[in-house]
Amino acid sequence: RVSFMNNQKPQKPTLSGQRFKTRKRDEKERFDPTQFQDCIIQGLTETGTDLEAVAKFLDASGAKLDYRRYAETLFDILVAGGMLAPGGTLADDMTRTNVCVFAAQEDLETMQAFAQVFNKLIRRYKYLEKGFEDEVKKLLLFLKGFSESERNKLAMLTGILLANGTLNASILNSLYNENLVKEGVSAAFAVKLFKSWINEKDINAVAVSLRKVNMDNRLMELFPANKQSVEHFSKYFTEAGLKELSEYVRNQQTIGARKELQKELQEQMSRGDPFKDIILYVKEEMKKNNISEPTVVTIIWSSVMSTVEWNKKEELVAEQAIKHLKQYSPLLAAFTTQGQSELTLLLKIQEYCYDNIHFMKAFQKIVVLFYKAEVLSEEPILKWYKDGHLAKGKSVFLEQMKKFVEWLKNAEEGNQQLSSQVE
């Protein structure tokens, strides 16, 4: 056995070496996109503009022609009618076909029919998926080489293919190319693309796809740096008839601004910055990012509650909470100037006490503290009690608040009776 293995060893490399050489030579002879192109174009010319027949022809040809190797040529022909030279122009000396996206009619229905051709082809030959994605990325970089009508058709087609999942939203990266952005090509293309995408699905589905590839916060980059504002984006896309996209981007910005605000607030609190400085900062942020007071009060509440290690013992946590919240009540009071803000805060407290089981019994104590500290006033408390509360732990909290609410209703004499009747 040993000698047999020794005999085998030297043969291995020569064997694979020989095989490798032949394969290399075959490849040189066979790699000929022009010949491949001629076959495809001839077939398309025979099928004519009947896209059902086109799909059938492409399906059958995959068995005879090497789609894997000539994917780029295949997709060039289906989109532009022939092989594209760098930059997006069609090579002059090449045969070309009119059975392609660029020669088709510029309307949504025609592009939906073409999308079906691509869908069927890629479903049938799964390995074309990657090649098609690369093709679309390339076509987007070539946009300046195409006519406006060709760009519109490509945009509609891309939107439809994004909607049905044939393409991944990461291809949009190509639109952030500096030259395309600078000349306004990216933004104009995006309008047509998003219109057809939203038309197929809706803005929520679009948002999910964008979020998956971290593209949800990058849409402003479709414009040059000096125009990357929510105002500019909103005006441009609203005027183009894409109000829902404008609102989506506005919301994204607000969400981002709210996260930033919360982060900064927590840092200021942990440093122990004076309240007047914190209040000033928050008011500036509200104005700059168009954040409403009810939203801000929930951010402050979350920040205040997250700066503490809470005691695990229920009997001690209420005492700890009252001490902590008393200290921060001036900060909260600065942002409860509207009834809606007070009601929002009450709901946040209810939610917090329900979600954190140790706080279940502390709800009424917190509300009374905030009433004394003028964070909350009668009306919102009564509104909360009557019909403004959440379902979470409702019976427990309403029971806790019963006496206090009755006192509020009857309290003509004012504050001096508060301590004796409530505590």
Side-chain angles (χ1 to χ4, degrees):
R1 194 189 290 159
V2 175
S3 62
F4 172 71
M5 278 178 78
N6 284 346
N7 289 344
Q8 285 295 88
K9 265 186 182 163
Q11 285 174 359
K12 269 189 178 166
T14 57
L15 205 97
S16 62
Q18 282 163 352
R19 212 184 296 152
F20 182 66
K21 273 185 202 147
T22 4
R23 210 170 64 213
K24 198 76 172 156
R25 201 165 54 238
D26 284 354
E27 244 176 58
K28 272 206 187 89
E29 283 161 15
R30 275 168 41 208
F31 189 76
D32 181 9
T34 36
Q35 206 181 340
F36 176 85
Q37 172 170 266
D38 292 342
C39 293
I40 294 288
I41 287 181
Q42 191 189 340
L44 291 176
T45 312
E46 284 164 19
T47 58
T49 48
D50 171 10
L51 294 182
E52 286 281 323
V54 169
K56 282 193 180 124
F57 158 70
L58 291 170
D59 191 320
S61 300
K64 301 192 284 282
L65 298 170
D66 195 346
Y67 279 179
R68 197 184 288 272
R69 181 172 300 172
Y70 299 116
E72 188 179 359
T73 309
L74 175 65
F75 292 128
D76 273 0
I77 297 168
L78 292 176
V79 173
M83 268 196 280
L84 290 168
T89 50
L90 276 171
D92 292 334
D93 53 343
M94 289 289 181
T95 39
R96 47 183 309 182
T97 173
N98 284 329
V99 187
C100 65
V101 173
F102 283 178
Q105 258 182 290
E106 189 186 322
D107 61 61
L108 211 50
E109 216 174 314
T110 310
M111 289 308 117
Q112 282 164 333
F114 261 102
Q116 277 308 311
V117 172
F118 286 105
N119 281 342
K120 285 176 186 164
L121 178 62
I122 288 161
R123 260 207 308 264
R124 175 81 168 81
Y125 299 103
K126 246 342 225 176
Y127 59 77
L128 284 174
E129 235 171 45
K130 176 84 177 73
F132 185 53
E133 205 165 284
D134 292 343
E135 173 74 12
V136 175
K137 286 179 190 166
K138 177 190 84 174
L139 290 170
L140 296 188
L141 290 174
F142 285 176
L143 285 179
K144 276 162 61 181
F146 307 142
S147 71
E148 192 183 343
S149 171
E150 289 169 348
R151 289 204 285 258
N152 290 345
K153 288 178 242 188
L154 183 59
M156 286 191 251
L157 177 73
T158 308
I160 296 162
L161 293 169
L162 282 163
N164 64 33
T166 305
L167 283 174
N168 180 299
S170 60
I171 55 129
L172 297 175
N173 262 317
S174 294
L175 288 179
Y176 299 134
N177 173 284
E178 205 181 331
N179 293 324
L180 296 176
V181 169
K182 202 165 64 194
E183 295 186 30
V185 175
S186 294
F189 187 85
V191 166
K192 295 275 181 196
L193 179 145
F194 279 109
K195 267 192 179 161
S196 79
W197 191 352
I198 292 169
N199 177 58
E200 295 287 312
K201 291 278 198 182
D202 60 25
I203 189 68
N204 299 328
V206 171
V208 169
S209 300
L210 291 172
R211 210 168 28 245
K212 273 187 191 154
V213 293
N214 295 324
M215 209 60 94
D216 46 339
N217 289 316
R218 289 194 61 194
L219 292 178
M220 295 237 248
E221 294 171 40
L222 291 164
F223 296 104
N226 60 342
K227 290 182 178 167
Q228 283 178 21
S229 69
V230 179
E231 278 54 50
H232 181 77
F233 187 97
S234 202
K235 187 171 182 293
Y236 185 92
F237 281 94
T238 303
E239 281 171 6
L242 278 164
K243 197 167 188 304
E244 57 265 75
L245 190 69
S246 305
E247 282 168 3
Y248 167 71
V249 166
R250 202 174 269 286
N251 286 340
Q252 284 301 107
Q253 280 299 104
T254 315
I255 292 165
R258 292 200 298 239
K259 282 184 183 156
E260 275 303 299
L261 176 60
Q262 179 146 3
K263 204 172 120 207
E264 181 56 34
L265 253 178
Q266 284 170 350
E267 282 174 18
Q268 291 176 346
M269 285 176 189
S270 59
R271 283 200 305 264
D273 292 7
F275 285 159
K276 65 175 196 323
D277 295 351
I278 297 180
I279 291 168
L280 197 66
Y281 164 76
V282 173
K283 284 188 171 164
E284 277 171 11
E285 288 297 302
M286 280 170 78
K287 208 164 134 190
K288 191 168 86 189
N289 295 300
N290 205 6
I291 308 177
S292 68
E293 189 183 84
T295 304
V296 162
V297 91
T298 65
I299 293 173
I300 294 174
W301 166 262
S302 306
S303 304
V304 166
M305 295 310 273
S306 65
T307 52
V308 182
E309 267 299 320
W310 295 109
N311 202 303
K312 294 279 181 280
K313 292 190 175 140
E314 193 174 358
E315 61 277 13
L316 297 175
V317 89
E319 201 180 310
Q320 186 191 6
I322 296 303
K323 208 166 137 187
H324 179 66
L325 290 169
K326 194 172 190 173
Q327 183 192 338
Y328 281 99
S329 49
L331 184 57
L332 284 155
F335 298 97
T336 49
T337 65
Q338 310 160 7
Q340 187 52 51
S341 312
E342 294 183 45
L343 190 57
T344 304
L345 179 59
L346 273 161
L347 296 175
K348 279 316 260 186
I349 301 167
Q350 181 186 347
E351 206 171 30
Y352 189 90
C353 292
Y354 178 78
D355 291 340
N356 298 277
I357 195 84
H358 297 329
F359 279 82
M360 280 300 268
K361 290 181 180 163
F363 179 75
Q364 183 258 9
K365 292 190 173 76
I366 294 171
V367 176
V368 173
L369 165 78
F370 282 165
Y371 176 76
K372 285 182 183 173
E374 294 183 2
V375 175
L376 296 171
S377 50
E378 284 165 47
E379 241 175 278
I381 295 174
L382 295 174
K383 163 91 180 114
W384 172 89
Y385 188 81
K386 186 168 170 257
D387 56 15
H389 48 258
L390 302 166
K392 291 180 168 182
K394 164 176 113 171
S395 52
V396 177
F397 298 136
L398 290 177
E399 183 56 43
Q400 273 183 41
M401 291 293 289
K402 204 168 161 187
K403 272 189 191 161
F404 180 60
V405 166
E406 279 176 10
W407 177 85
L408 276 182
K409 285 177 181 165
N410 305 328
E412 300 296 318
E413 305 89 326
N415 252 346
Q416 68 269 23
Q417 288 194 10
L418 178 63
S419 36
S420 60
Q421 285 196 255
V422 172
E423 287 174 357

